[in-house]
Each structure stands twice: as structure tokens, then as C-alpha cells.
Amino acid sequence: QVQLVESGGGLVQPGGSLRLSCAASRTILSIYRMAWYRQAPGKQRELVASITSIGITNYADSVTGRFTISRDNTENTVYLQMNSLEPEDTAVYYCNAIEFDLVTMYWGQGSQVTVSS
């Protein structure tokens, strides 16, 4: 099992930046993939960005060039750096982990990001 604890959400003006953090309770090198999802009111949860245990990253088209996912293996933490934020980025952001069996999945508690002037 792994527990995921998120931090870093908040209110930011359009064009601003935020960094989300997701701390895992065990080494993230033993986890197949870490990812960030988001869910806006009235919408389905969507994949924002992911990073595998060997560092392969993937981004949703809507955030490519603005968001960057990274990880610190020594701190067992994954980050989502969000730049040039837009009101459409407003959502609850969830950290996600998938085990190497590609079935077992864990979620963080969610972190609210609000982009508004």
C-alpha cells in the first residue's frame, strides 16, 4: 500500500503559477507510474500529467507547454509545476499512483486549485 499526501493548492490569478506536491509513504521507484488528475465541477476526472518509474512523462494537450511533472526520488515526492494558469485550469487536483501490476491504484485526498482574478 501507499499513502499519498498532497499540498500546494490555492487561489491564483490568471497567468500565475502554482506548484503541487505529492508525498508518497514509500519509495516511488517501486511504483510503476505517478500521475496528476483533475476534476472540475460537473466534469469527469481527467489525466493531466504522468511520470513512470523510468522517467517517461506524458501530458494532456491542454497543459502541454505550461505544466511540468517531476519527481524527487530521495524525498519520494512528485511535483506538478503549473505556469500560465488559466481559469479553465480551476479544479480539484488529485495525485495518483499505479503499481506494477497495472491494477492496484491509489489516490490522494485532492487539492483545490482556483484560477480567478
Side-chain angles (χ1 to χ4, degrees), residues 9-18 38 66-67 82-91 93 112-117:
L11 173 65
V12 64
Q13 291 186 342
S17 299
L18 278 176
R38 68 185 180 188
R66 301 187 298 121
F67 291 11
M82 303 183 291
N83 299 328
S84 301
L85 283 160
E86 305 167 352
E88 293 73 22
D89 297 315
T90 295
Y93 284 71
Q112 177 69 47
V113 172
T114 302
V115 184
S116 175
S117 55

Side-chain angles (χ1 to χ4, degrees), residues 35-92:
W36 289 95
Y37 286 73
R38 68 185 180 188
Q39 188 167 18
K43 295 187 177 181
Q44 289 189 332
R45 191 172 296 189
E46 63 174 352
L47 177 65
V48 176
S50 64
I51 185 166
T52 70
S53 59
I54 59 172
I56 297 173
T57 59
N58 185 54
Y59 296 91
D61 290 343
S62 59
V63 306
T64 297
R66 301 187 298 121
F67 291 11
T68 302
I69 189 170
S70 62
R71 67 182 190 203
D72 185 333
N73 295 332
T74 61
E75 297 292 331
N76 297 322
T77 299
V78 174
Y79 302 98
L80 184 67
Q81 177 67 44
M82 303 183 291
N83 299 328
S84 301
L85 283 160
E86 305 167 352
E88 293 73 22
D89 297 315
T90 295
V92 178

